[in-house]
Amino acid sequence: FSDSVDLLRQLYETLKKEVLSSEYIQIDESTIPVMDKDHPGSTRKGYHRIVKSPMQNQLFFHYQHGSRAQKVVIELLRSFQGAVQSDAYGAYDIYENKKGVLLLGCMAHARRKFEIALKDDPDRAKQALKMIRDLYAIERDAKEMELLPDVIRQLREEKSYPIIKDFEKWLLENYSAALPKDLIWKAISYTYNIYPRLARYVLDG
């Protein structure tokens, strides 16, 4: 059994190295129940990370004592150079100013907030979702036409960027018009606070 684990560990390390050698990765945490040695028979909430290279269509899982701490991310991505896409979890803020790393936001997380906000402010939530849907449609068309990266970048500059600017203006206008406890305010606040990260994808194909 030990020999098998050692062989699998080598495969894992090779896969991890290949994914982290990519110029673009996506990273997110997912909860996992962890046996609590201090309380036999019970579990606590731990985390493992999923790191994916969309360009290579490869991924690996990273677990470190179930910790979600920033130090785990820093050690994991210590030598990474390229674009890192994540949600708004504060552990990734450090990459906003790290040389050689471009921090990207995840529009799917922002979209989810507005989908939840449909409950109490359908009018404004639908306006936001319409703009996000238009951005997704451009990406879907580019994928279906199998466009080259340079062409995709030009397409994003011409079609996506104007929507991006309109969305930013809409967020700013509606930020002060919603009440802080409302679901729509939470969606607008979440999205506006990471908006530069959400918009940067138009710079590259």
Side-chain angles (χ1 to χ4, degrees), residues 64-94:
Q64 190 165 331
H65 306 297
S67 174
R68 199 189 186 200
Q70 186 183 63
K71 63 181 180 180
V72 178
V73 180
I74 293 174
E75 179 61 31
L76 177 62
L77 304 183
R78 179 177 298 278
S79 60
F80 178 78
Q81 297 282 288
V84 176
Q85 186 173 31
S86 71
D87 61 8
Y89 178 42
Y92 301 103
D93 291 349
I94 188 174

Side-chain angles (χ1 to χ4, degrees), residues 90-109:
Y92 301 103
D93 291 349
I94 188 174
Y95 297 105
E96 194 68 72
N97 299 307
K98 183 177 179 181
K99 185 177 180 180
V101 176
L102 180 68
L103 186 58
L104 303 176
C106 177
M107 191 68 80
H109 281 81

